[in-house]
C-alpha cells in the first residue's frame, strides 16, 4: 500500500478542534482519497458496495476525530486512517456474515388438504411454529372446542349420550 499525502493533517485537526468549520470540512475532504482507495478492494466492494464503504468509513473517521485530542505526525496520519477504515470495514463484513449465519430461511408452508408444499405462500405463517401442537393459539382453540363439545353432549337426551 502506497499512500502519498502532503496534507497538513495536524494543522487542520487543531483548527477543527477549536471549532473552525472550514478546517473540519477540509479535514474530511482530505480523507476522501483514502476512503476511495477501498473501492478497489474486491472483498469490500462486493460485500458492501461503494456507498456503504464511504458511509462506514466517513462515520468512523468523524468519530475518531471527535474522540481524540491529537494526531500522530503528519506523515503517519494517512496510514493510521487507512488502518482505522480497514478495521471498521472488516468488522462490518463480519457482522453481516454473523447475521447471515444466524438467520434461518422460512419454512415451506404445507397445505392441510394435500401433501404438496406451497412454495409461493409468503407472509408470517412461513416462520410459524412447525408443530401445530406447539402453537399456543392452536392449543387454545382446541380446548375451547373441547369445552363446547362437552356442553353439547350434556344437552343431549340420556339415550343419545
Amino acid at each position: 500500500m502506497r499512500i502519498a499525502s502532503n496534507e497538513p493533517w495536524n494543522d487542520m485537526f487543531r483548527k477543527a478542534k477549536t471549532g473552525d468549520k472550514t478546517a473540519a470540512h477540509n479535514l474530511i475532504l482530505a480523507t476522501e482519497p483514502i476512503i476511495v482507495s477501498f473501492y478497489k478492494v474486491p472483498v469490500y466492494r462486493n460485500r458492501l458496495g461503494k456507498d456503504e464503504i464511504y458511509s462506514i468509513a466517513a462515520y468512523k473517521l468523524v468519530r475518531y476525530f471527535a474522540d481524540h485530542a491529537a494526531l500522530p505526525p503528519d506523515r503517519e496520519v494517512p496510514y493510521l486512517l487507512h488502518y482505522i477504515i480497514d478495521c471498521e470495514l472488516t468488522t462490518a463484513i463480519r457482522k453481516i456474515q454473523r447475521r447471515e449465519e444466524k438467520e434461518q430461511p422460512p419454512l415451506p408452508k404445507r397445505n392441510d388438504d394435500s401433501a404438496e408444499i406451497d412454495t409461493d405462500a409468503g407472509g408470517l405463517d412461513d416462520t410459524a411454529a412447525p408443530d401445530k401442537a406447539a402453537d399456543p393459539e392452536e392449543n387454545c382453540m382446541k380446548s375451547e372446542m373441547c369445552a363446547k363439545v362437552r356442553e353439547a353432549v350434556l344437552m343431549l337426551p340420556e339415550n343419545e349420550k
Side-chain angles (χ1 to χ4, degrees):
M1 173 195 68
R2 184 177 177 332
I3 298 177
S5 177
N6 297 328
E7 300 289 340
W9 294 100
N10 281 290
D11 186 44
M12 287 188 292
F13 181 75
R14 278 191 294 277
K15 287 179 182 175
K17 281 293 199 180
T18 61
D20 185 352
K21 293 186 188 282
T22 305
H25 181 71
N26 290 338
L27 183 63
I28 296 302
L29 286 178
T31 64
E32 278 193 24
I34 299 169
I35 296 171
V36 170
S37 71
F38 284 95
Y39 294 174
K40 297 173 187 167
V41 180
V43 173
Y44 298 137
R45 186 184 62 242
N46 295 339
R47 292 292 289 179
L48 300 171
K50 291 179 179 180
D51 291 337
E52 191 70 10
I53 290 170
Y54 189 86
S55 177
I56 291 169
Y59 181 68
K60 179 61 179 179
L61 292 178
V62 167
R63 279 193 353 236
Y64 179 83
F65 292 143
D67 292 345
H68 290 79
L71 292 176
D74 285 345
R75 68 181 186 285
E76 296 175 12
V77 172
Y79 298 101
L80 172 68
L81 300 180
H82 188 274
Y83 175 76
I84 290 168
I85 294 169
D86 189 44
C87 290
E88 195 68 14
L89 294 176
T90 302
T91 300
I93 288 178
R94 285 184 183 146
K95 285 180 184 178
I96 290 170
Q97 288 172 338
R98 263 186 269 129
R99 186 173 50 241
E100 288 172 350
E101 288 170 1
K102 300 297 181 192
E103 289 177 349
Q104 297 178 355
L107 297 171
K109 185 177 178 182
R110 285 189 63 133
N111 291 336
D112 292 338
D113 324 9
S114 66
E116 290 181 19
I117 294 178
D118 186 7
T119 56
D120 295 339
L124 297 176
D125 291 338
D126 290 348
T127 57
D131 183 14
K132 290 209 176 219
D135 186 12
E137 183 179 10
E138 190 70 30
N139 289 338
C140 182
M141 296 291 280
K142 187 176 180 179
S143 40
E144 284 180 12
M145 185 177 74
C146 288
K148 287 186 180 187
V149 169
R150 276 191 217 103
E151 287 177 24
V153 169
L154 289 176
M155 296 166 113
L156 293 172
E158 283 298 321
N159 62 347
E160 291 180 10
K161 285 182 185 177

